Amino acid sequence: MAKNARLLIGLLVSSLIFATLVSCNSNIKRKPSPKRPNILFCIADDASFPHMGAYGCSWVKTPAFDRVAKEGILFKNAYTPNAKCAPSRACIITGRNSWQLEEAANHWCYFPQKFKTYAETLGENGYHVGYTAKGWAPGVPGEINGKKRQLVGRPYNKYNTTPPTNKMSINDYTANFVDFLDSKPQGEPFCFWYGSREPHRAYEYRSGIEKGGKSIAEIDSVYSFFPNNDTVKTDLLDYAYEIEYFDKHLQNMLKVLEERGELNNTLVVVTADNGMPFPRIKGQEYELSNHLPLAIMWKDGIKNPGRVVDDLVSFIDFAPTFLELAGVTREASGMQPIQGKSLTDILFAGEPGVVDSARDHVLIGKERHDVGRPHDQGYPIRGIVKGGFLYVKNFKTDRWPAGNPETGYLNCDGSPTKTVILNGRNNPATHHLWELSFDKRPEEELYNIKTDRECMNNIANDPEYSSLKEQLKTQLFKELKEQGDPRMFGHGHIFDEYEYADKTGRHFYERYMRGEKMNAGWVNPSDFEKR
């Protein structure tokens, strides 16, 4: 009897000591649920970092994104390595930077067979995998053993709806998600890619006002590189309305998961592929191009939800996160070596602010996006974001960064805002706006993005910042060499030589200049400079 009492007292003391240690050490990482989580990856098509309610934007209403942030983690410094649809998405699905992806560094490419994706891997490891609407695109995914590759899973696009405007996708994203869930084998975890086509161009002009109930007065300011007029503000409200449509379907999907009892063990990731489809943003490599919204919720897994995290994270961190939570090692995945770092340290750490001080920088860059330059050339850039500064290296300053004027600046989607800027090119009062978005650039750019988020004041030649510039450049080039970037070894021309997969647009510049009528439906006819 005494022996049993002593045993009981010992157990109680041990429990009290353990409880005390846990309560005194907030850094103890909580282990993830032993049950492998579902994964719902939600990606808007062309939405910039500031334009979600959780970041304080008043003229875009995003209750679903805000909920994910409030019940999970809001990331303040998430970046894509490449601010264009296909290469950004290629980074997500492979965990590698775009300059490590051969052809997949480019927009509209043939996806290399050697690069296996996380979705293909999870499909081989017990996950029900699928997507709706826009997955990895645009480009040609290729085949393996005679079967078309499904880079983000099996497509679920059976159901259509009547959207609020005639420019939004008719895909009923919610219904197709339900169809995906209904086809899931009992007890099997799922991985679903919700690839909204909003807020990609084109928009129904004035839809934000006439259908969204918005007012120009809601826009308290516009970026310094845009004209400050009602046309641009109307364009911004149309963009906002499309983001809200993306968010509405996200809200529906969260409700579906709640009703099915699946939400608590679902990792919900909400982001966008690149910045807003406006001049000087989408397709470029500035702060507003690459800095993107990101919120992650996982009720069963995230410690201390409601946190705001300041770590710099990259899109290449998604794939290793998903693999780790699914219990698949990188070696067992069969994927090419992953450059990214799993985000589980942040999910389980419990602290807000800076969780991992080593996450203090990200690399960005691009090669060829849309064609329209001679010989289908790209506009090669590499850059680094660190310590509140952005350093950019432009390798081919003789080229036009948004595409050649005579072929419509094809790397900038047609829009009312673009048209206003181009129409003001020959006006001395507004010519500088054309220069900022479309003119040729210096070899080096450096911006203090803490005070100059719009990247208006290039301090690369300021003696005060010469030492910092060299430090950033040295680190950038060192890491690019370690990552095998061909451009660091004199082989950057290979990116221009990879064949543009869209045959109708191949050799666009030469064919257009010969008088051939070319399809460039993503820009306006007035975008083409006659002289």
Side-chain angles (χ1 to χ4, degrees):
M1 190 78 174
K3 182 178 179 182
N4 289 339
R6 286 196 301 272
L7 180 60
L8 180 60
I9 291 170
L11 288 171
L12 287 170
V13 170
S14 298
S15 298
L16 286 170
I17 292 172
F18 178 76
T20 302
L21 286 172
V22 170
S23 65
C24 292
N25 188 356
S26 62
N27 292 323
I28 291 178
K29 293 184 179 181
R30 191 172 105 188
K31 293 294 184 183
S33 165
K35 181 181 177 183
R36 296 195 294 174
N38 305 310
I39 299 167
L40 174 59
F41 185 78
C42 311
I43 184 166
D45 198 357
D46 304 352
S48 284
F49 154 74
H51 302 141
M52 300 285 170
Y55 293 114
C57 184
S58 61
W59 48 274
V60 187
K61 311 299 182 185
T62 54
F65 181 91
D66 301 349
R67 177 190 176 184
V68 173
K70 183 178 180 181
E71 299 180 19
I73 299 174
L74 179 66
F75 289 78
K76 291 183 69 177
N77 291 297
Y79 287 78
T80 177
N82 192 319
K84 193 75 169 184
C85 300
S88 177
R89 292 161 189 256
C91 294
I92 292 170
I93 60 181
T94 62
R96 294 167 67 86
N97 285 309
S98 58
W99 46 87
Q100 297 178 295
L101 290 173
E102 299 176 359
E103 290 99 322
N106 290 342
H107 198 59
W108 261 110
C109 76
Y110 294 98
F111 198 89
Q113 188 175 103
K114 68 190 287 185
F115 296 116
K116 190 177 181 181
T117 72
Y118 78 77
E120 291 174 314
T121 301
L122 294 184
E124 296 171 353
N125 286 273
Y127 269 75
H128 180 57
V129 183
Y131 79 100
T132 193
K134 187 172 181 176
W136 171 81
V140 179
E143 298 180 346
I144 292 182
N145 299 324
K147 293 182 64 177
K148 182 179 178 181
R149 291 183 70 182
Q150 296 178 341
L151 299 181
V152 294
R154 176 184 165 189
Y156 284 81
N157 296 313
K158 183 193 304 183
Y159 297 103
N160 291 331
T161 188
T162 303
T165 81
N166 58 19
K167 298 298 184 182
M168 291 177 177
S169 171
I170 63 171
N171 185 302
D172 190 334
Y173 306 123
T174 305
N176 287 313
F177 178 52
V178 170
D179 186 33
F180 165 80
L181 292 176
D182 288 344
S183 69
K184 181 178 76 69
Q186 184 72 26
E188 193 169 287
F190 70 78
C191 177
F192 187 77
W193 175 296
Y194 161 35
S196 168
R197 295 189 181 277
E198 290 77 36
H200 196 287
R201 299 281 182 181
Y203 305 152
E204 183 180 304
Y205 190 63
R206 291 184 58 83
S207 58
I209 295 171
E210 296 173 359
K211 297 181 177 180
K214 297 182 177 297
S215 166
I216 284 176
E218 295 178 47
I219 306 291
D220 51 2
S221 66
V222 300
Y223 294 134
S224 303
F225 45 84
F226 292 162
N228 188 1
N229 61 33
D230 286 356
T231 299
V232 172
K233 291 179 179 179
T234 299
D235 201 14
L236 290 170
L237 293 177
D238 295 344
Y239 158 76
Y241 188 46
E242 296 234 346
I243 292 177
E244 292 172 358
Y245 188 68
F246 159 78
D247 192 78
K248 176 184 175 183
H249 279 276
L250 170 61
Q251 194 169 33
N252 293 342
M253 291 178 187
L254 297 178
K255 183 179 179 183
V256 167
L257 290 175
E258 276 187 310
E259 291 171 347
R260 294 180 177 228
E262 293 271 21
L263 183 61
N264 286 1
N265 198 41
T266 298
L267 181 81
V268 182
V269 180
V270 191
T271 188
D273 55 357
N274 48 251
M276 61 197 298
F278 284 70
R280 196 176 164 85
I281 301 181
K282 178 183 176 182
Q284 303 307 313
E285 301 297 309
Y286 290 121
E287 167 70 356
L288 292 166
S289 309
N290 297 72
H291 191 174
L292 297 174
L294 175 62
I296 299 179
M297 179 174 74
W298 177 22
K299 290 179 174 291
D300 281 354
I302 287 177
K303 187 173 182 180
N304 294 342
R307 286 181 286 140
V308 177
V309 168
D310 295 322
D311 299 52
L312 276 84
V313 301
S314 171
F315 276 19
I316 60 175
D317 298 333
F318 292 137
T321 304
F322 300 158
L323 293 180
E324 181 182 343
L325 294 178
V328 181
T329 65
R330 299 189 190 200
E331 295 75 20
S333 71
M335 296 172 66
Q336 292 291 323
I338 290 176
Q339 189 66 43
K341 178 182 177 182
S342 172
L343 296 169
T344 53
D345 60 332
I346 295 176
L347 302 185
F348 304 140
E351 304 99 349
V354 175
V355 177
D356 180 359
S357 59
R359 294 184 185 269
D360 65 350
H361 71 285
V362 292
L363 304 188
I364 63 173
K366 73 171 186 176
E367 286 294 336
R368 184 177 66 214
H369 287 171
D370 289 308
V371 288
R373 298 184 191 88
H375 314 297
D376 288 347
Q377 294 169 335
Y379 191 83
I381 295 175
R382 300 291 184 271
I384 181 170
V385 178
K386 183 177 182 180
F389 288 86
L390 166 63
Y391 169 78
V392 170
K393 169 72 173 180
N394 297 303
F395 288 92
K396 299 290 182 180
T397 56
D398 59 321
R399 301 179 186 176
W400 296 91
N404 277 49
E406 59 271 36
T407 48
Y409 308 96
L410 295 184
N411 201 38
C412 178
D413 297 337
S415 68
T417 301
K418 180 181 179 181
T419 298
V420 170
I421 293 173
L422 293 181
N423 287 346
R425 174 181 177 178
N426 296 318
N427 183 338
T430 55
H431 178 75
H432 71 286
L433 299 176
W434 174 87
E435 290 178 325
L436 288 166
S437 288
F438 301 109
D439 202 1
K440 294 179 179 180
R441 295 179 183 157
E443 186 176 333
E444 293 182 300
E445 298 177 76
L446 179 66
Y447 301 98
N448 182 342
I449 55 176
K450 296 189 295 292
T451 59
D452 182 20
R453 188 171 68 181
E454 298 178 15
C455 298
M456 298 291 287
N457 181 28
N458 181 13
I459 54 177
N461 295 322
D462 187 331
E464 181 182 348
Y465 296 97
S466 59
S467 176
L468 173 64
K469 183 183 75 172
E470 288 308 312
Q471 290 174 22
L472 293 174
K473 180 179 179 180
T474 298
Q475 180 175 356
L476 171 64
F477 280 31
K478 177 178 181 291
E479 293 192 18
L480 291 173
K481 288 176 182 176
E482 292 170 350
Q483 295 176 20
D485 182 356
R487 197 158 287 283
M488 294 295 103
F489 302 97
H491 307 304
H493 56 87
I494 189 66
F495 294 110
D496 288 338
E497 294 164 7
Y498 290 129
E499 200 165 43
Y500 191 67
D502 180 12
K503 295 179 181 178
T504 62
R506 196 177 296 165
H507 308 306
F508 187 104
Y509 182 88
E510 287 76 16
R511 292 161 63 187
Y512 177 81
M513 297 303 285
R514 289 197 301 264
E516 185 176 341
K517 186 175 182 180
M518 300 295 294
N519 177 25
W522 66 97
V523 299
N524 297 327
S526 61
D527 293 351
F528 291 77
E529 297 278 5
K530 301 301 182 185
R531 292 180 295 164

